[in-house]
Amino acid sequence: MGVANKRSLAYGCYQALQAQGAQLILTYQNERFKKSLSQFIDEDVQLVECDVADPENVKTAFATIKAQVGSIDGIIHAIAYADPEALSGETTDADLDAFEKAEVISVYSLISVAKYGREIMNDGGSIVTLTYMGSERAIPNYNIMGIAKAGLEATVRYLARDLANQNIRVNAISAGAVKTLAVTGVKDYSKLIELSNSRTVDGEGVTIQEVGNTAAFLLSPLATGLVGDTIYVDKGTHLM
Ligand SMILES: NC(=O)c1ccc[n+]([C@@H]2O[C@H](COP(=O)([O-])OP(=O)(O)OC[C@H]3O[C@@H](n4cnc5c(N)ncnc54)[C@H](O)[C@@H]3O)[C@@H](O)[C@H]2O)c1
């Protein structure tokens, strides 16, 4: 869930999972994204509409997936949104509407995805979401999205506890900064990426392939020991 274009972190996940022979289904937000996907995604990959702003859409999307394939083994949730006006200045500038929107799309969506996804998920399944270090540190302009990511990481822990009775694992990847559509909403995002890259072990930013490979690992039985965790995949930025 969350491939917008070839720069998307979810596209790195798509590529990594495809390399492992997974059968993939992509969900897209609306027709505009579907059009974009159809230009570079293999024709045999199923595309299902799912605007997570309304949980009813999530319910419908998983019902559609059930009708098409029966059951699934994993979900990658790579979705977040906040109005660009809320991703600049100070946290007190954000109004309640902007805050609620960010929480609904970036946090509650993981709950609704888990709620309806678990109904069609096989024993031993795995759910992975994408988060960012702005959950723990006050990153310039990240503001309410940092608060949302803190909520998302807490959501991962609670879902991990609750889905354990179905033998489904839930984890998060905390990715380093990568230039994607979502990041361009953050004011001065180029500076953020530059600073982030300058603090990696070799001065080069993490790639979407590296993020995707970790996602493929987390979906696989190699990661059965990882439950409710947030794993940094940022080439060391969080340490420096
Ligand atoms: N790019 C980074 O530096 C970075 C770092 C750490 C974490 N992340 C996280 O990775 C995830 C993926 O973002 P990305 O950077 O690949 O950007 P992206 O713009 O490629 O992907 C964001 C996706 O969210 C989807 N989305 C937004 N609102 C939606 C809605 N209402 N319903 C359904 N889908 C919706 C968009 O359609 C898009 O596919 C996000 O959670 C983001 O916060 C990104």
Side-chain angles (χ1 to χ4, degrees):
M1 309 185 79
V3 180
N5 52 48
K6 285 185 168 181
R7 289 172 178 259
S8 297
L9 297 187
Y11 185 61
C13 300
Y14 170 88
Q15 289 176 304
L17 287 162
Q18 204 173 43
Q20 296 298 324
Q23 183 190 347
L24 298 163
I25 299 164
L26 294 184
T27 67
Y28 59 89
Q29 186 179 346
N30 55 39
E31 282 300 312
R32 185 164 61 86
F33 286 98
K34 185 184 186 185
K35 222 172 164 183
S36 153
L37 290 184
S38 56
Q39 286 167 13
F40 63 95
I41 296 295
D42 294 348
E43 271 177 21
D44 57 343
V45 172
Q46 283 151 286
L47 303 178
V48 177
E49 183 165 341
C50 185
D51 182 337
V52 300
D54 181 352
E56 277 301 306
N57 296 337
V58 179
K59 186 178 180 182
T60 305
F62 280 100
T64 304
I65 292 168
K66 184 179 181 184
Q68 289 180 350
V69 299
S71 65
I72 58 174
D73 298 298
I75 301 173
I76 296 186
H77 171 276
I79 291 174
Y81 183 81
D83 289 330
E85 305 84 69
L87 299 175
S88 70
E90 299 188 358
T91 309
T92 47
D93 297 337
D95 62 22
L96 184 58
D97 283 348
F99 184 80
E100 280 177 351
K101 195 171 186 181
E103 293 287 321
V104 166
I105 297 175
S106 316
V107 187
Y108 188 76
S109 65
L110 182 66
I111 298 178
S112 55
V113 162
K115 180 182 168 83
Y116 298 112
R118 73 188 295 183
E119 290 176 4
I120 64 165
M121 193 172 284
N122 295 322
D123 188 83
S126 169
I127 300 176
V128 175
T129 188
L130 272 300
T131 186
Y132 180 59
M133 185 172 67
S135 62
E136 295 187 326
R137 304 207 195 161
I139 303 283
N141 301 312
Y142 204 62
N143 305 353
I144 60 167
M145 188 49 78
I147 297 167
K149 291 302 193 192
L152 182 72
E153 290 169 24
T155 304
V156 163
R157 292 187 282 272
Y158 280 92
L159 290 175
R161 179 197 65 186
D162 293 346
L163 273 63
N165 60 17
Q166 219 183 306
N167 195 24
I168 294 172
R169 294 176 298 107
V170 187
N171 290 287
I173 292 173
S174 185
V178 177
K179 189 180 170 191
T180 60
L181 193 62
V183 162
T184 57
V186 182
K187 190 178 176 225
D188 291 336
Y189 67 87
S190 309
K191 278 192 205 160
L192 180 67
I193 294 175
E194 211 175 292
L195 189 66
S196 177
N197 292 354
S198 74
R199 293 182 182 187
T200 61
V201 280
D202 59 2
E204 300 282 334
V206 72
T207 64
I208 65 166
Q209 284 74 27
E210 287 170 320
V211 172
N213 286 339
T214 307
F217 159 68
L218 285 172
L219 286 200
S220 84
L222 293 175
T224 51
L226 283 149
V227 175
D229 221 337
T230 295
I231 302 177
Y232 277 106
V233 182
D234 67 354
K235 294 182 72 185
T237 299
H238 70 285
L239 301 172
M240 315 293 183

